[in-house]
Amino acid sequence: MDAVDRHEAVETSPEPRILRTIRPVGVDELFLCIPLGHAFYEEASLPGHLLPRVFVETWHQFLSSGVGQILGLWQDGTLIGAIGGLLARDPNTGQLMAQELFWFVAPEVRTGMGAIRLYKAFERWARTQGALRLVMTALAGSYAERLGAVYRTLGFRLLETNYVKDLP
């Protein structure tokens, strides 16, 4: 039983009767991430469109090979948030690192500590896999500064900024 399984039942809602749990999203549940993905794309004004088939096929490979993990925040059997990332060796040092690729909680359930507990479960997973570094992303935009403050509170430091250019 890994660290994520031991911390499966987590009270994260300010309403005492609502129990939210954190557990891995299985390969047979990947399609449940699609509505969250669409909402994330819209909220973040990301370029392009989420392609459900590509998402499911890609994450199926990541999860099946053991290099990826998606942890879900669940309420009454419904996926209301998720964080996903990959393990990889730093090409310069050889150290194993975990890279978050997405972290999203549905806006209507962003009360309480659900998002932070989701992050903490991801960090536990990274540690149990032997990762020595955790890399989190903060997309440019309206909440980048607020998320940066959260990351600093969690012990992160700003390392680099990426720029993107679409190529025709």
Side-chain angles (χ1 to χ4, degrees):
M1 181 179 284
D2 67 20
V4 173
D5 292 333
R6 284 195 309 269
H7 295 89
E8 184 173 315
V10 178
E11 183 75 38
T12 63
S13 173
E15 298 86 17
R17 286 175 265 164
I18 298 175
L19 180 66
R20 295 180 179 156
T21 59
I22 294 173
R23 68 167 175 79
V25 174
V27 293
D28 59 330
E29 299 173 311
L30 286 169
F31 69 95
L32 297 173
C33 295
I34 301 305
L36 292 174
H38 285 303
F40 174 66
Y41 261 71
E42 183 176 330
E43 182 177 310
S45 299
L46 295 175
H49 300 284
L50 176 79
L51 300 175
R53 181 184 54 78
V54 173
F55 177 90
V56 170
E57 288 176 359
T58 302
W59 279 97
H60 188 281
Q61 290 177 346
F62 292 156
L63 298 179
S64 298
S65 68
V67 301
Q69 177 69 285
I70 298 176
L71 298 173
L73 179 62
W74 303 83
Q75 180 176 306
D76 297 325
T78 300
L79 185 64
I80 60 171
I83 188 169
L86 301 176
L87 295 170
R89 296 241 173 244
D90 183 302
N92 299 309
T93 68
Q95 292 179 327
L96 188 63
M97 57 184 192
Q99 167 73 55
E100 169 259 336
L101 297 182
F102 66 87
W103 180 22
F104 185 79
V105 174
E108 63 273 14
V109 292
R110 288 184 186 162
T111 59
M113 295 295 292
I116 295 299
R117 290 192 175 130
L118 193 56
Y119 156 77
K120 289 191 177 277
F122 184 71
E123 182 178 317
R124 276 193 306 276
W125 170 78
R127 287 179 187 275
T128 63
Q129 301 306 305
L132 299 176
R133 186 176 311 128
L134 179 55
V135 180
M136 298 292 289
T137 301
L139 295 173
S142 62
Y143 54 85
E145 284 187 31
R146 187 175 46 188
L147 190 53
V150 169
Y151 287 154
R152 287 187 295 279
T153 300
L154 293 169
F156 288 85
R157 67 186 186 288
L158 181 62
L159 183 61
E160 72 178 304
T161 301
N162 293 303
Y163 292 86
V164 176
K165 177 181 180 179
D166 293 327
L167 301 176

